[in-house]
């Protein structure tokens, strides 16, 4: 299953097509015989596109030309309906490489959110792999299921979606990779360690520096995992027109931190780190800050938010969705 129906050949009835106008605005439509696309730039009949090759140009009745292409997964991700905030493509790409998601891999994901990361994982593992996604909120799970099935044209044979808490519901074993996008991933480390094979990898996606510090220190203090690595990725596009070659004035800065750690074999002890921490890094100030953060998290955490629900998921029902930093509609 390649996604968005067929990836080659002329457009057919039922195909998902992306129309891009001269100003770069994108519109995603589903072709239907006798149907039409309407905008303030006029009307484009679907019949003018059905039977035409991918990469055709359709002209509205007012003379506006649209480039018609089958959307890439990155296009679909940025335009699909959302419940929770998605993992943006620049971070999803890092997960694919740094977490080494390979064809045939057995992957556990929590939480599923709007299904964006589920689509990327399924693309990587293929039909011979398995992605088991957990999502505590049923309303988010419905959106995720619809987004995945719309992209792949139906239920994906390698995907299982469970509505529930990862810690309570996880019964997978011999798992190659675990991806955690949640408020407190450190609360799931016992369950994750039981599920992962020796040499397996856990990848955590967190938004704030306090979450980053906590998850790294918890992984570092758990003798079942090898020394974690953490980083963030920033994306800057460039303006290129003749001799005018310069970085764009806007860039995609911080969206989240990624942390990865490998599962050690049972009964082994990793060598002690030789890198000496900075003086005072784990002193009284560190302990006081950690205690204050724990107390604040307990006081601020709504009853409906658990370890499998990210901060973005918790806020999604409170605030209207804003335009994505990467240009999604």
């Amino acid at each position: 299953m390649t996604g968005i129906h067929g990836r080659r050949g002329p457009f057919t009835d039922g195909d998902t097509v992306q129309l891009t106008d001269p100003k770069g605005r994108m519109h995603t439509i589903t072709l239907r015989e006798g149907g039409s696309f309407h905008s303030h730039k006029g009307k484009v009949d679907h019949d003018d596109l059905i039977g035409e090759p991918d990469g055709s140009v359709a002209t509205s009745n007012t003379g506006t030309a649209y480039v018609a292409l089958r959307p890439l997964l990155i296009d679909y991700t940025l335009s699909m309906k959302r419940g929770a905030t998605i993992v943006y493509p620049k971070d999803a790409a890092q997960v694919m490489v740094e977490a080494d998601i390979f064809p045939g891999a057995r992957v556990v994901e929590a939480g599923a959110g709007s299904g964006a990361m589920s689509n990327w994982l399924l693309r990587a593992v293929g039909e011979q792999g398995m992605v088991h996604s957990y999502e505590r909120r049923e309303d988010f799970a419905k959106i995720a299921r619809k987004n995945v099935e719309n992209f792949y044209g139906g239920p994906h044979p390698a995907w299982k979606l469970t509505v529930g808490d990862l810690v309570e519901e996880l019964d997978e074993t011999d798992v190659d990779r675990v991806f955690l996008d949640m408020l407190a991933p450190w609360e799931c480390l016992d369950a994750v360690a039981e599920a992962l094979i020796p040499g397996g990898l856990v990848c955590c996606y967190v938004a704030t520096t306090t979450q980053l510090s906590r998850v790294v220190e918890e992984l570092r203090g758990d003798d079942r995992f090898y020394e974690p690595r953490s980083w963030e990725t920033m994306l800057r596009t460039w303006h290129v027109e003749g001799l005018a070659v310069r970085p764009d004035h806007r860039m995609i800065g911080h969206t989240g931190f990624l942390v990865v750690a490998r599962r050690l074999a049972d009964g082994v002890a990793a060598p002690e780190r030789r890198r000496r921490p900075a003086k005072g890094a784990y002193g009284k100030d560190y302990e006081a800050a950690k205690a204050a953060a724990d107390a604040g998290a307990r006081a601020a955490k709504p009853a409906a938010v658990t370890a499998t629900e990210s901060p973005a998921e918790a806020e999604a029902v409170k605030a209207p969705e804003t335009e994505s930093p990467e240009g999604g509609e």
Side-chain angles (χ1 to χ4, degrees):
M1 302 179 71
T2 57
I4 302 296
H5 313 296
R7 300 297 299 178
R8 294 183 176 183
F11 295 130
T12 62
D13 181 74
D15 272 357
T16 299
V17 175
Q18 182 176 272
L19 301 179
T20 306
D21 69 15
K23 289 189 176 182
R25 288 183 291 244
M26 299 177 182
H27 309 272
T28 303
I29 64 173
T30 301
L31 295 179
R32 300 297 181 195
E33 291 183 359
S36 57
F37 163 73
H38 295 265
S39 74
H40 66 289
K41 295 294 185 180
K43 180 183 74 168
V44 175
D45 290 326
H46 292 191
D47 290 342
D48 292 342
L49 286 169
I50 293 175
E52 295 298 313
D54 203 347
S56 295
V57 174
T59 304
S60 71
N61 61 341
T62 61
T64 300
Y66 291 87
V67 175
L69 291 161
R70 288 188 175 93
L72 306 175
L73 179 49
I74 185 174
D75 302 319
Y76 180 82
T77 297
L78 294 172
S79 65
M80 69 186 192
K81 181 181 178 180
R82 302 179 197 174
T85 299
I86 63 172
V87 175
Y88 287 102
K90 74 179 182 69
D91 296 319
Q94 287 284 298
V95 173
M96 294 299 103
V97 174
E98 295 281 357
D100 193 38
I101 309 298
F102 57 90
R106 294 171 57 86
V107 182
V108 167
E109 173 200 18
S114 297
M117 197 65 211
S118 302
N119 275 328
W120 290 108
L121 292 170
L122 288 167
R123 166 72 66 80
V125 305
E127 294 187 37
Q128 303 306 312
M130 182 66 191
V131 176
H132 192 163
S133 302
Y134 292 83
E135 174 54 57
R136 183 177 182 273
R137 290 183 51 162
E138 188 171 358
D139 54 338
F140 287 168
K142 288 181 179 179
I143 294 172
R145 187 181 302 279
K146 183 176 181 180
N147 284 332
V148 170
E149 292 185 357
N150 282 349
F151 183 76
Y152 288 104
H156 196 291
W159 191 46
K160 180 180 178 182
L161 176 61
T162 297
V163 179
D165 190 290
L166 174 73
V167 174
E168 299 175 357
E169 302 288 340
L170 181 61
D171 59 1
E172 299 289 307
T173 57
D174 295 325
V175 171
D176 298 294
R177 305 288 184 262
V178 175
F179 177 73
L180 303 177
D181 176 12
M182 58 181 64
L183 180 64
W186 51 87
E187 295 179 359
C188 302
L189 293 186
D190 284 339
V192 168
E194 290 296 321
L196 279 173
I197 63 171
L201 182 146
V202 59
C203 178
C204 304
Y205 184 62
V206 294
T208 69
T209 53
T210 51
Q211 288 174 298
L212 173 64
S213 175
R214 180 67 181 272
V215 71
V216 168
E217 295 299 344
E218 293 287 346
L219 283 165
R220 187 172 285 157
D222 191 322
D223 59 10
R224 294 169 295 185
F225 294 95
Y226 190 51
E227 177 67 12
R229 294 188 298 109
S230 57
W231 73 97
E232 66 173 331
T233 304
M234 299 184 184
L235 178 65
R236 183 174 70 176
T237 56
W238 279 65
H239 172 89
V240 181
E241 189 170 346
L243 294 178
V245 181
R246 54 171 174 75
D248 283 329
H249 298 304
R250 298 179 63 187
M251 68 177 291
I252 303 165
H254 175 73
T255 49
F257 299 104
L258 286 165
V259 180
V260 296
R262 301 290 298 275
R263 175 69 159 94
L264 294 171
D266 291 332
V268 305
E272 186 176 351
R273 288 190 307 148
R274 295 188 177 218
R275 185 174 69 250
R276 178 178 294 179
K279 185 177 181 180
Y282 294 97
K284 294 181 179 179
D285 290 341
Y286 168 78
E287 295 298 336
K290 181 179 178 183
D294 289 345
R298 287 192 296 269
K301 191 174 180 181
V305 179
T306 68
T308 55
E309 188 173 20
S310 71
E313 292 175 333
E315 292 296 325
V317 295
K318 301 178 183 178
E321 184 178 298
T322 58
E323 185 177 352
S324 78
E326 297 194 13
E329 297 179 355

